[in-house]
């Protein structure tokens, strides 16, 4: 049974009160919604799909309490950030992050990205190395590892990527938002680890993600990054993107990956260290799926603080 709505969803649904401050910041020609807490060196959090900044609600106050300025943004096209029709290519999304770090008055930040936000974090660290002090990536192979595995591992990563390949279909955003965005919950269920999906916190989190995806234009914009990634394979700017991403990363990088991740397979992610010349660590998280930050927040918090302080 679907919920009966009294009216359309608006951006107020992603502005809950809490131990944080909501702000709107102009960067790279767009306006971004950011949520921040604490003071100190900045840790900037990038959510994945089909989430929004609330993905970090457990970690934000805890990182702030540990002596950091913790900031979570709604990526371009999500939540309460601007939803322009263009700008979902890897170059622009990385420039959004770089511009936001500068707009918030910082010289550099520790970047923490999950899923699609992790892919952006890899790219931002590669294209803007002076702005990314340290990198923590959850559930996201290096973009070139992911691209290679989709073609080289048809029964593995290609099959795992099939749901996002459907995003190439015109007007697929209507599938995503139909029936009170039931498909958003289906994706969270499919990609999440069973312990979390069957646990007490899943329903409320899925409800909030379903609501956020029904903000006008959010579903269309959320899929545009995936559409660019697929189409760019055949285009010159996609070829240039690959050439630029081949430069070795000089940012110390910590990669955390759920052993049960069915979106980005662990075997796809595991070779990502070859692109990093700086200190690099890999940790596989038992019993965890594609969303380590909400499935095992205590473990992830400890690893983020260890890496940010080291």
């Amino acid at each position: 049974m679907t919920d009966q709505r009294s009216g359309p969803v608006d951006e107020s649904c992603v502005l809950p009160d809490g131990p944080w401050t909501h702000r709107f910041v102009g960067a790279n020609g767009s306006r971004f919604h950011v949520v921040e807490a604490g003071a100190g060196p900045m840790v900037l959090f990038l959510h994945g799909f089909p989430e929004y900044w609330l993905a970090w609600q457990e970690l934000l106050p805890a990182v702030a309490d540990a002596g950091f300025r913790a900031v979570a943004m709604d990526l371009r096209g999500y939540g309460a950030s601007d939803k322009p029709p263009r700008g979902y290519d890897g170059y622009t999304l990385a420039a959004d992050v770089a511009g936001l770090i500068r707009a918030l008055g910082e010289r550099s930040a520790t970047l923490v990205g999950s899923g699609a936000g992790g892919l952006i974090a890899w790219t931002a660290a590669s294209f803007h190395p002076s702005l990314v002090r340290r990198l923590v990536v959850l559930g996201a192979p290096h973009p070139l590892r992911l691209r290679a595995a989709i073609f080289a591992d048809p029964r593995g990563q290609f099959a795992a990527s099939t749901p996002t390949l459907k995003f190439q279909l015109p007007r697929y955003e209507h599938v995503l938002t139909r029936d009170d965005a039931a498909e958003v919950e289906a994706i969270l269920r499919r990609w999440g680890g069973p312990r979390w999906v069957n646990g007490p916190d899943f329903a409320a989190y899925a409800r909030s993600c379903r609501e956020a995806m029904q903000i006008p234009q959010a579903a269309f914009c959320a899929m545009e990054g995936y559409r660019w990634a697929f189409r760019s394979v055949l285009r010159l700017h996609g070829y240039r993107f690959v050439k630029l991403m081949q430069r070795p990363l000089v940012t110390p990088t910590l990669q955390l990956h759920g052993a049960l991740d069915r979106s980005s397979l662990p075997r796809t992610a595991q070779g990502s260290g070859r692109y990093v010349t700086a200190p690099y660590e890999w940790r596989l998280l038992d019993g965890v799926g594609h969303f380590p930050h909400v499935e095992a927040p205590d473990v992830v918090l400890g690893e983020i603080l260890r890496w940010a302080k080291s």
Side-chain angles (χ1 to χ4, degrees):
M1 191 173 105
T2 59
D3 295 352
Q4 294 301 310
R5 300 209 150 276
S6 55
V9 175
D10 66 38
E11 292 178 356
S12 64
C13 72
V14 301
L15 305 173
D17 292 333
W20 46 62
T21 305
H22 293 277
R23 287 178 62 191
F24 290 90
V25 180
N28 197 31
S30 289
R31 189 184 78 145
F32 294 94
H33 170 230
V34 303
V35 182
E36 64 176 314
M42 187 159 89
V43 179
L44 178 59
F45 294 92
L46 313 179
H47 66 81
F49 175 89
E51 302 174 285
Y52 65 107
W53 78 264
L54 201 74
W56 308 107
Q57 63 180 328
E58 300 250 353
L59 300 183
L60 209 64
V63 170
D65 288 345
F68 292 92
R69 181 186 185 189
V71 180
M73 69 181 290
D74 279 331
L75 298 175
R76 172 184 293 257
Y78 287 83
S81 287
D82 277 356
K83 298 169 185 64
R86 282 176 206 82
Y88 300 92
D89 56 279
Y91 305 97
T92 306
L93 294 171
D96 287 346
V97 174
L100 190 64
I101 292 169
R102 289 196 198 96
L104 289 168
E106 301 284 349
R107 286 183 168 181
S108 64
T110 294
L111 213 50
V112 181
S114 174
L119 296 173
I120 296 169
W122 279 114
T123 309
S126 181
F127 288 6
H128 308 280
S130 64
L131 290 169
V132 183
R133 191 167 54 247
R134 290 189 162 256
L135 180 63
V136 183
V137 183
L138 305 113
H142 187 280
L144 300 190
R145 273 294 301 151
L146 180 59
R147 188 178 281 228
I150 286 171
F151 293 106
D153 187 5
R155 289 187 176 176
Q157 190 57 57
F158 180 83
S161 300
T162 304
T164 55
L165 294 176
K166 288 180 186 172
F167 297 170
Q168 304 303 316
L169 298 171
R171 302 175 72 77
Y172 196 80
E173 56 271 19
H174 298 302
V175 176
L176 203 58
T177 54
R178 175 167 81 198
D179 297 331
D180 192 24
E183 181 61 18
V184 168
E185 182 166 335
I187 290 168
L188 290 168
R189 254 179 219 289
R190 195 155 55 231
W191 290 352
R195 192 171 58 204
W196 174 60
V197 165
N198 298 313
D201 302 326
F202 177 79
Y205 188 67
R207 169 79 258 147
S208 68
C209 290
R210 287 171 70 166
E211 202 168 12
M213 196 60 76
Q214 293 178 77
I215 294 169
Q217 299 304 314
F220 170 80
C221 296
M223 285 186 282
E224 281 294 277
Y226 290 95
R227 288 168 173 160
W228 177 81
F230 185 79
R231 294 169 191 162
S232 68
V233 172
L234 306 170
R235 294 179 181 169
L236 182 61
H237 64 128
Y239 172 76
R240 273 181 45 235
F241 180 81
V242 167
K243 294 298 281 184
L244 289 169
M245 287 300 295
Q246 284 170 347
R247 291 183 307 206
L249 217 66
V250 295
T251 305
T253 301
L254 171 64
Q255 191 169 8
L256 307 174
H257 209 90
L260 304 180
D261 192 331
R262 293 165 64 193
S263 171
S264 302
L265 302 184
R267 68 180 187 236
T268 300
Q270 209 151 10
S272 301
R274 74 176 66 165
Y275 294 101
V276 185
T277 54
Y280 169 83
E281 285 185 27
W282 159 269
R283 183 174 173 190
L284 196 63
L285 306 176
D286 289 334
V288 173
H290 186 60
F291 307 100
H293 50 291
V294 286
E295 297 183 47
D298 293 344
V299 175
V300 171
L301 173 65
E303 290 292 319
I304 290 171
L305 293 180
R306 177 178 71 85
W307 201 249
K309 286 176 177 176
S310 60

